[in-house]
Amino acid sequence: MIGAAFFSNGPVQVALIIGGGAALVSAVVGVFTVLRGQSFAGHALADISSAGGSAALLFGIRPLAGFLAMAALGAGGMEAIGARQIRERDLVTGIVLGAGLGVTALLLYLDMTTTSASGAANTVMFGSMFAIAPSTIPLALGVGALALAMTAALYRPLLLIAIDPDLAAIRGIDPRLIGLAHLLVLAIAVALSAMTIGAILSTALLIGPAAAALRLATRPGTAILIAAAIGLCATWGGIALAYDSFYWTPGHGWPVSVFVVMIVLAAYLAAGPLGTALARRRMAGS
Amino acid sequence: MLTLSSISVAFAGRTILHNVDFTLAQGSFCGLIGSNGSGKTTLLRTILGLVKPDRGTVDTGGHEIGYVPQKIQLDPFMPLRARDVVALGLDGNRFGLPLPSAARRRTVDAMLTAVDATGFADRRVGDLSGGQQQRIMIAHALVRRPKLLLLDEPLANLDLRSVAEVVSLLHTLSFEQRITVLLSAHDMNPLLPVMDRIVYLANGSSVSGTVGEVVRGAVLSRLYGYHIDVIRVHGRVLVVAAGGEDGLDADIACEPVHVTQIR
Ligand SMILES: Nc1ncnc2c1ncn2[C@@H]1O[C@H](COP(=O)(O)OP(=O)(O)OP(=O)(O)O)[C@@H](O)[C@H]1O
Ligand SMILES: [Mg+2]
């Protein structure tokens, strides 16, 4: 079943590369997103970016460009409305999300009525891992590398702000500016994963691996490595299982997203008891 | 070391601080005392430059300031060991990944020793007790060796023993390294043995001086604008508002610890 044919299959190769890249970026960025309490913003940006995906189908531009532009616009909108408290931030996120979904609905409707892309909603919402154009690879990897580099740059200021924003402010760091920069990185991460496993499930790749890792790690670097490992395993495992599923139900395979999400969920559920056991061992050791 | 001259701060037209003046000499240990909402946090944030005063000036002599904010919320899942928090005090404002460095590690270790935190340096901060977390935040604030340390209610939510431990730690640090400490609290009693100056906030105004000069019925009555008695019992100070029908601030009447209303 999984053998040479799997690895020499063109769409599978593209899926492994772009899916892996998206999973890696999402997991790394997700650690800070969870720490900053911005899971909802991450989910909202994924949904909003799908408006860009629908627009790309409509106007015949590169899907990734559409996803990215719309996610960045959403991030900018959230920041422009502005909010100081977390509760208020959730409201702003909700408002921007509502607007974004309205636009998505319109664009998807137009996609389906004015173009021949009958599976538009499917593609945008559930991703199209096996239908990504190989020409997308350079742009996707470049954008992903940019997101990782920005996260590395913001690493210490983000941690300092997570302890207390005033502690960053007295050291000459503007917490708002850093927050906006992180929001843009978040937009890139979700745009990448929205395009691959779909807007609806990209939250799973952003939040799941990070949440599991935070139950296990005592250091930020370790948390990032664990999250990245879980994200990659889930995505590559999901691709392999989806490929294999063509043999389970003759005629059609299962969507990659289902497997990805199930692996992530399993990792998160396993991390709980594992984390408790690790903490107990640390306590006994110290 | 630190001089505030006629500082006034208003939020949305409401005056929070009005003409606050005081000076601290190097090495002094000063309590900033006031009830909830009296403006302690606002005053500390003004000194730090986080709040722009509407009038007046703050002179810190160009010294770097260490700061321990009020109510640090350390998420239990925050993937930071106690030593990581201290290290972020050293270079948390830098961009890029921290490179392992022996010098950095030595500095952090020395600070952990200074606050007596070596025993839990590798534990996750979220798992530490309130008193342990407070020590770590003090180490975070002091790791760059500032000569001025501001702490916002570091004794709140600590049990009596931890209060005594944190107070004596701060006193030792202040004494040995000649660090000027300005520490806010709503109850002055735990600080009486160590503080040589006091800034008392009420009604947006302040009085400052030694404890003997400030904590007196006549002085506090003028500050609050109605009759106040200062009672000393068993080595403790009680600040008591007598009568108190007219002009009694709601926030003062509700303050259970240092103002008790007697009918
Ligand atoms: N950013 C702000 N905008 C508007 N009002 C504010 C702001 N910050 C503080 N205040 C108000 O200023 C007053 C003083 O607040 P502050 O936090 O300085 O008091 P505090 O003495 O530190 O109180 P506590 O003991 O509860 O910490 C309060 O009435 C508060 O509501
Ligand atoms: Mg306060």
Side-chain angles (χ1 to χ4, degrees):
Chain A
M1 302 215 247
I2 303 282
F6 173 74
F7 290 105
S8 61
N9 180 312
V12 168
Q13 283 171 352
V14 176
L16 287 175
I17 293 170
I18 292 196
L24 188 69
V25 174
S26 279
V28 172
V29 174
V31 169
F32 290 101
T33 304
V34 172
L35 275 184
R36 292 173 58 78
Q38 286 187 318
S39 308
F40 182 41
H43 176 76
L45 285 177
D47 283 351
I48 293 165
S49 77
S50 63
S54 342
L57 284 179
L58 195 61
F59 302 120
I61 54 175
R62 274 170 183 271
L64 180 58
F67 276 103
L68 275 174
M70 201 58 203
L73 214 63
M78 287 176 192
E79 184 59 31
I81 299 179
R84 296 237 160 248
Q85 280 114 31
I86 296 210
R87 256 166 64 99
E88 205 179 311
R89 205 161 65 187
D90 272 358
L91 291 181
V92 170
T93 305
I95 290 164
V96 175
L97 172 61
L101 287 180
V103 176
T104 311
L106 172 67
L107 290 171
L108 280 178
Y109 174 79
L110 294 177
D111 279 342
M112 286 185 286
T113 49
T114 65
T115 71
S116 55
S118 55
N122 239 350
T123 309
V124 169
M125 291 300 177
F126 301 109
S128 50
M129 196 86 98
F130 290 132
I132 300 171
S135 61
T136 309
I137 290 180
L139 178 63
L141 292 189
V143 166
L146 176 70
L148 288 181
M150 278 180 75
T151 306
L154 299 175
Y155 184 84
R156 281 182 277 183
L158 282 173
L159 290 173
L160 192 56
I161 292 168
I163 300 175
D164 189 288
D166 278 354
L167 290 177
I170 62 168
R171 300 293 306 284
I173 295 280
D174 183 347
R176 229 189 128 127
L177 222 54
I178 300 290
L180 176 60
H182 177 260
L183 206 57
L184 285 175
V185 178
L186 178 58
I188 294 177
V190 297
L192 274 179
S193 64
M195 192 185 73
T196 49
I197 75 163
I200 290 182
L201 297 178
S202 71
T203 305
L205 270 191
L206 182 73
I207 305 305
L214 288 176
R215 302 190 142 217
L216 300 172
T218 42
R219 309 187 198 190
T222 323
I224 287 171
L225 289 180
I226 297 175
I230 294 174
L232 278 176
C233 287
T235 304
W236 285 340
I239 292 171
L241 287 169
Y243 178 84
D244 203 48
S245 70
F246 278 97
Y247 301 98
W248 308 350
T249 42
H252 61 89
W254 295 33
V256 181
S257 331
V258 178
F259 298 110
V260 173
V261 170
M262 289 200 323
I263 298 172
V264 167
L265 184 64
Y268 178 73
L269 292 179
L274 193 58
T276 314
L278 281 176
R280 204 169 293 139
R281 260 188 45 193
R282 279 196 299 267
M283 293 294 265
S286 68
Chain B
M1 180 72 210
L2 175 65
T3 304
L4 274 71
S5 325
S6 23
I7 289 291
S8 297
V9 175
F11 288 128
R14 197 160 69 90
T15 302
I16 308 296
L17 298 172
H18 181 67
N19 273 341
V20 173
D21 283 293
F22 64 88
T23 296
L24 295 183
Q26 174 149 21
S28 70
F29 196 113
C30 178
L32 173 61
I33 309 298
S35 48
N36 290 124
S38 60
K40 302 182 295 296
T41 300
T42 304
L43 184 59
L44 294 177
R45 297 184 83 242
T46 306
I47 297 171
L48 288 161
L50 298 172
V51 171
K52 294 273 164 280
D54 296 297
R55 271 192 324 114
T57 53
V58 175
D59 181 6
T60 57
H63 293 284
E64 190 161 338
I65 310 179
Y67 178 46
V68 177
Q70 186 175 10
K71 285 193 214 118
I72 293 277
Q73 302 276 341
L74 292 167
D75 193 316
F77 287 129
M78 181 99 78
L80 291 172
R81 297 164 303 168
R83 67 165 62 254
D84 298 323
V85 172
V86 179
L88 284 170
L90 198 58
D91 55 17
N93 59 329
R94 296 256 190 89
F95 291 100
L97 299 174
L99 300 173
S101 126
R104 185 171 185 263
R105 192 178 164 96
R106 267 198 306 278
T107 310
V108 170
D109 278 340
M111 203 60 238
L112 286 164
T113 310
V115 300
D116 199 11
T118 42
F120 48 88
D122 292 308
R123 300 247 312 267
R124 195 163 18 190
V125 274
D127 294 339
L128 300 178
S129 73
Q132 289 171 329
Q133 287 186 355
Q134 209 54 253
R135 277 166 194 277
I136 293 302
M137 292 316 298
I138 292 169
H140 171 101
L142 287 181
V143 70
R144 290 170 63 84
R145 308 272 168 202
K147 283 293 169 207
L148 174 59
L149 176 62
L150 310 184
L151 305 102
D152 200 356
E153 305 247 14
L155 308 178
N157 302 318
L158 297 188
D159 59 25
L160 280 179
R161 213 178 95 201
S162 307
V163 165
E165 280 173 11
V166 170
V167 168
S168 94
L169 168 70
L170 288 171
H171 185 236
T172 309
L173 290 168
S174 156
F175 183 73
E176 286 176 355
Q177 299 173 27
R178 287 190 50 78
I179 295 171
T180 311
V181 174
L182 177 61
L183 175 160
S184 79
H186 52 261
D187 179 13
M188 72 177 91
N189 280 297
L191 300 170
L192 288 175
V194 296
M195 73 182 161
D196 49 35
R197 303 286 295 177
I198 185 168
V199 173
Y200 204 111
L201 279 185
N203 288 337
S205 300
S206 70
V207 275
S208 66
T210 64
V211 177
E213 286 164 2
V214 171
V215 187
R216 286 164 46 201
V219 175
L220 294 186
S221 296
R222 209 173 316 127
L223 181 65
Y224 277 110
Y226 47 81
H227 187 79
I228 295 280
D229 284 313
V230 172
I231 303 171
R232 291 184 156 80
V233 279
H234 304 309
R236 288 174 64 82
V237 171
L238 297 177
V239 176
V240 179
E245 287 82 22
D246 37 321
L248 185 59
D249 258 23
D251 67 23
I252 294 161
C254 307
E255 172 55 63
V257 181
H258 79 285
V259 176
T260 315
Q261 194 175 342
I262 296 176
R263 295 259 165 207

